[in-house]
Amino acid sequence: MDIATPVSKVITELKSLLGDRLATSNSVREHHSHDTSRLAPHLPDAVAFPRTEEEVAAIVSACAAHGVPVVPFGAGSSMEGHTIPIRGGITLDTREMNRIVEIRPEDLLAVVQPGVTRKQLNVELRETGLMFSVDPGADASIGGMASTRGSGTTSVRYGTMRENVLALRVVTPDGTAIQTGSRARKSSTGYDLTHLFVGSEGTLGVITELTVRLHPIPEAVSVAFCPFPTVAQAVEAVIACVQYGIPVARVEFLDEVAIASVNNYSKLDMPVAPTLLFEFHGTSAWVEEQAKLAEDICTAHDAISYRWTADTDERNKLWQARHDLFWATKAIIPGYDLYTGDICVPISRLAESITAARADIDASSLKGQIIGHVGDGNFHTAYLIDPNNPVHLKEAEEMADRLVERALKVGGTASGEHGIGMAKLKFMRKEHGKAVDVMEKIKAALDPKGIMNPGKMGSEWSA
Ligand code: MLT
Ligand code: ZN
């Protein structure tokens, strides 16, 4: 009697295609059972490591034939449970698709496989004087960043993945490989499929190649560091800088708790106060002028002090500390988890949004911090919770819900850059209304068997 299950049949088929690159060991499955979120892990049945688009198409076709889930996986740095294979099946890890296919300096673009990480691409670009600008902090894979429509510290100046992906190759859920977009900087032909797949979180297909924009590395860079007496003054200063038109390359907000954790983790001694970190790009004269213009604005908003420098070591140290913030926050209470939030609001509503978020944390029993890519109106909360304490989890959940409710009320969004994953599904209806029905129809049309990253966007949301 044949007792093979659909997934065991797929595993047998893929073993003969991929050999050792189809893993079923517990350690590999465990590694692919979670992301960086606090959400409960779930094991995939097997993990495939394709090297080519043909192999991706064969994996997806085998899964489609047997109705087995496929979950695309990049670097595993997502923050809302995107890559957790909650229905099991095959996790398709793109790490071996890590080839930079082509760099075209004259067109300011690069063509990469999805497993190339942003740092890997930037190392490769050094000689060209160009850079890939999107910087979410983690050394994420570019395929993963596109799938999440990620952004980070530099999007205020250079845009998010939406602005930086020109074209894609995608294997659709029936195993067909398609090209979306072109190398032209603009086009008015057809539905914009590139941007349908950007942000679709692996629910509509597997990205197998990306054409991304590059930007010239600035001739000079300066950074400024500016503590304020209150959160509101810091945020009002950012709004003034943006409205004045200073083309800041980065402007990051860290509240007092975040500054204290950075000081502790990265051995710095910044004054413990709500703080802005600026970065300016341009010629030497222009970065100096921008730094001084920002100084005037910050001083007019009662900044405690304002220090700027073009020193590379100092700059690298500051940004390394900012990028280590996730780990610095985790280190505040060893053994605790971070319950993270990520909303974006119109910049005119940013000061009141951050102030309300801070007041909510202060009124709770939890310790928490706020940081933000404030030039975009985007900020993150992180509540520290004991993973074994259900009271903490409930309090954090309620506070995170209130954070999103307030953002939606002022015309904002439930996620600025971390995406929907599993944690934010419940807000989709509230944010998008009947547009969610259109999203469902798109999902059903492209993935009628519901094999692509099931249990996530497209088919599962609560009203
Ligand atoms: C960041 O801004 O550092 C990332 O989005 C991750 C985080 O929220 O901690
Ligand atoms: Zn962020």
Side-chain angles (χ1 to χ4, degrees):
M1 192 175 65
D2 181 10
I3 52 158
T5 60
V7 75
S8 69
K9 287 182 194 160
V10 169
I11 289 173
T12 306
E13 278 178 46
L14 295 184
K15 261 267 174 243
S16 69
L17 174 77
L18 300 169
D20 287 351
R21 290 184 290 115
L22 193 276
T24 50
S25 71
N26 274 342
S27 59
V28 176
R29 289 165 66 214
E30 196 284 325
H31 176 71
H32 294 81
S33 66
H34 58 85
D35 62 1
T36 64
S37 70
R38 77 213 129 70
L39 294 161
H42 193 287
L43 291 176
D45 289 286
V47 183
F49 296 90
R51 290 187 178 140
T52 63
E53 183 177 273
E54 290 69 31
E55 288 183 347
V56 172
I59 294 164
V60 174
S61 297
C63 289
H66 297 285
V68 166
V70 191
V71 180
F73 186 100
S77 53
S78 62
M79 302 190 71
E80 300 287 0
H82 304 59
T83 57
I84 302 175
I86 54 170
R87 308 265 158 84
I90 307 297
T91 286
L92 190 156
D93 186 324
T94 57
R95 85 170 65 154
E96 298 210 13
M97 297 182 77
N98 62 354
R99 213 161 46 80
I100 296 168
V101 179
E102 194 180 358
I103 295 173
R104 295 174 68 90
E106 65 281 13
D107 290 322
L108 296 173
L109 60 83
V111 182
V112 299
Q113 287 191 310
V116 170
T117 70
R118 66 178 185 93
K119 287 188 184 168
Q120 180 192 347
L121 179 56
N122 275 323
V123 167
E124 201 66 29
L125 287 171
R126 257 182 211 154
E127 302 290 293
T128 65
L130 299 172
M131 63 177 184
F132 174 68
S133 61
V134 188
D135 169 17
D139 189 19
S141 71
I142 295 177
M145 288 164 67
S147 297
T148 316
R149 207 186 297 123
S151 48
T153 59
T154 57
S155 56
V156 62
R157 169 80 178 265
Y158 298 101
T160 71
M161 286 305 279
R162 182 182 63 187
E163 289 78 27
N164 282 284
V165 175
L166 270 179
L168 294 173
R169 287 194 63 80
V170 178
V171 169
T172 60
D174 64 358
T176 310
I178 60 165
Q179 166 85 27
T180 74
S182 74
R183 290 175 178 190
R185 282 187 81 80
K186 62 183 202 177
S187 163
S188 59
T189 59
Y191 296 137
D192 188 350
L193 294 184
T194 302
H195 293 98
L196 175 61
F197 288 106
V198 171
S200 64
E201 301 187 358
T203 62
L204 299 178
V206 184
I207 295 173
T208 54
E209 191 179 277
L210 305 95
T211 302
V212 295
R213 284 180 192 232
L214 306 175
H215 302 270
I217 295 174
E219 178 192 309
V221 177
S222 68
V223 293
F225 166 84
C226 183
F228 286 84
T230 65
V231 170
Q233 283 159 315
V235 177
E236 295 295 350
V238 173
I239 296 172
C241 288
V242 170
Q243 289 174 345
Y244 190 83
I246 302 174
V248 286
R250 289 170 156 146
V251 54
E252 294 288 302
F253 168 80
L254 287 81
D255 78 355
E256 294 162 77
V257 181
I259 291 286
S261 51
V262 165
N263 277 348
N264 188 37
Y265 188 84
S266 302
K267 309 284 167 267
L268 299 174
D269 59 354
M270 299 186 273
V272 179
T275 296
L276 295 178
L277 286 182
F278 290 93
E279 185 166 284
F280 309 103
H281 292 179
T283 61
S284 307
W286 181 216
V287 296
E288 182 170 343
E289 196 178 333
Q290 290 178 69
K292 288 187 171 155
L293 284 169
E295 177 170 15
D296 290 345
I297 290 174
C298 290
T299 307
H301 286 82
D302 300 324
I304 296 171
S305 59
Y306 183 95
R307 217 172 77 67
W308 77 271
T309 173
D311 181 79
T312 311
D313 286 345
E314 219 177 315
R315 169 161 59 91
N316 289 343
K317 213 166 145 192
L318 265 185
W319 288 117
Q320 189 57 47
R322 165 63 185 89
H323 281 146
D324 288 341
L325 198 50
F326 182 84
W327 305 109
T329 315
K330 256 186 164 306
I332 297 178
I333 311 181
Y336 271 37
D337 275 351
L338 294 189
Y339 191 119
T340 54
D342 164 47
I343 58 151
C344 193
V345 295
I347 193 151
S348 61
R349 312 302 295 264
L350 186 59
E352 66 188 90
S353 299
I354 296 187
T355 304
R358 186 67 253 171
D360 217 358
I361 298 172
D362 291 341
S364 80
S365 73
L366 301 178
K367 198 167 172 71
Q369 73 177 25
I370 301 177
I371 59 174
H373 314 299
V374 278
D376 294 325
N378 179 201
F379 70 91
H380 306 307
T381 47
Y383 315 128
L384 283 129
I385 59 168
D386 174 352
N388 301 314
N389 184 342
V391 178
H392 277 191
L393 185 61
K394 185 164 181 290
E395 200 169 5
E397 254 164 19
E398 287 171 359
M399 203 152 42
D401 286 359
R402 286 195 293 274
L403 179 77
V404 173
E405 303 284 353
R406 284 192 303 269
L408 296 181
K409 244 187 219 144
V410 298
T413 173
S415 173
E417 59 175 16
H418 292 172
I420 296 300
M422 288 149 68
K424 297 277 178 78
L425 279 174
K426 62 181 176 185
F427 299 112
M428 289 292 281
R429 273 272 165 214
K430 198 157 228 173
E431 179 169 340
H432 295 289
K434 288 192 178 133
V436 164
D437 300 334
V438 177
M439 295 187 203
E440 269 175 13
K441 285 179 190 155
I442 292 171
K443 169 75 174 173
L446 265 62
D447 183 18
K449 295 182 178 165
I451 61 164
M452 290 305 313
N453 204 1
K456 315 287 172 60
M457 259 200 302
S459 48
E460 318 255 336
W461 16 57
S462 46

